[in-house]
Amino acid sequence: MVHRLSGGEPLMNPGAMQFFDLLEQEPAPQLEISLNSNLGVSFAKIDRLIGRVQSLLQQKKIRSFSFYTSVDSWGAQAEYMRHGLDFNLLWDRVNQFLTEIPYRNSITFIVTMNNLSVTSLENLFAGILGLRKTYSKTYQRVWFDTPLLRSPSWQSLQILPPVYADRLEHVADWMELNRMPEDGFVGFKDYEIQRLRRDIAWMREGTDN
């Protein structure tokens, strides 16, 4: 059974923590919890959540816990795209969660592909690759997806000159060089590479826009 807490920012809602508190009293050992968060809330909220999830997983009161967070490029470029984002804080907290909740825990980055992502996408993927090297030892704990932004049209990949599609081809070629072995957890999965190549093909279809 899967239960997903989404938003908005669910960690700003007191009901989210009340839900975790309830699970301490009424365990659900088959429950898989997913939570969407940009991880920009106070240290107190983050520490409380980590402590609660640690306890629930250690005592097997839930089956697993996974985070979903949205970031579309790297560093200052990511902050420009998402007003109010502190990229270094986000990355520190990603590492904190993966370090302090070593049980059945994972994080998924939602990378919405748009025309402001292109110039620092390789840096973001290199960061994700580094996380996989550090934390994915016995199972895959670090995931990402690259959905296309189709609206608003002025932020679409399809309005960029062809040279930017060439830059993304370079990223896809680099991912090929770091392809994940069949029996490993470090590198890029074949479907992750092919998904980026499909994004590039869609991008090239719009070069007359």
Side-chain angles (χ1 to χ4, degrees), residues 14-201:
M17 285 310 305
Q18 291 170 6
F19 170 68
F20 287 104
D21 292 341
L22 178 64
L23 286 169
E24 283 284 3
Q25 306 303 318
E26 300 181 25
Q30 298 305 312
L31 184 63
E32 300 177 6
I33 300 177
S34 298
L35 187 145
N36 285 40
S37 175
N38 289 324
L39 304 177
V41 297
S42 69
F43 286 97
K45 285 184 170 64
I46 291 292
D47 290 343
R48 184 183 176 195
L49 177 67
I50 287 177
R52 181 60 76 227
V53 173
Q54 280 179 328
S55 174
L56 291 170
L57 287 170
Q58 267 184 320
Q59 300 178 68
K60 298 184 178 180
K61 292 184 176 181
I62 60 173
R63 183 176 183 181
S64 66
F65 180 82
S66 57
F67 264 107
Y68 289 78
T69 193
S70 296
V71 63
D72 313 305
S73 58
W74 181 262
Q77 183 74 2
E79 294 177 348
Y80 176 78
M81 296 167 67
R82 289 183 178 269
H83 180 70
L85 172 67
D86 183 332
F87 182 84
N88 289 332
L89 178 63
L90 169 70
W91 210 254
D92 286 347
R93 287 181 168 173
V94 165
N95 280 276
Q96 181 183 2
F97 277 108
L98 291 170
T99 300
E100 297 185 16
I101 309 176
Y103 315 103
R104 298 303 299 180
N105 175 38
S106 67
I107 189 159
T108 299
F109 296 95
I110 306 301
V111 185
T112 304
M113 295 293 294
N114 66 88
N115 57 27
L116 296 177
S117 301
V118 176
T119 57
S120 62
L121 191 68
E122 185 172 350
N123 291 336
L124 176 61
F125 286 175
I128 291 172
L129 181 60
L131 293 175
R132 285 180 168 175
K133 288 178 179 178
T134 302
Y135 300 108
S136 294
K137 303 298 185 182
T138 58
Y139 67 98
Q140 187 53 260
R141 301 184 65 202
V142 182
W143 303 85
F144 71 96
D145 193 13
T146 52
L148 284 166
L149 181 144
R150 298 177 185 271
S151 178
S153 59
W154 48 262
Q155 208 170 338
S156 167
L157 288 171
Q158 288 193 327
I159 69 170
L160 290 174
V163 66
Y164 288 94
D166 296 340
R167 290 189 67 161
L168 285 185
E169 292 282 8
H170 170 79
V171 176
D173 291 342
W174 169 77
M175 293 171 72
E176 291 273 8
L177 294 175
N178 291 277
R179 182 185 293 272
M180 187 180 296
E182 289 187 8
D183 58 348
F185 304 104
V186 176
F188 297 101
K189 295 179 178 292
D190 181 68
Y191 75 81
E192 293 169 340
I193 300 168
Q194 296 310 314
R195 186 170 294 163
L196 180 59
R197 293 204 184 278
R198 288 196 296 270
D199 291 350
I200 297 167

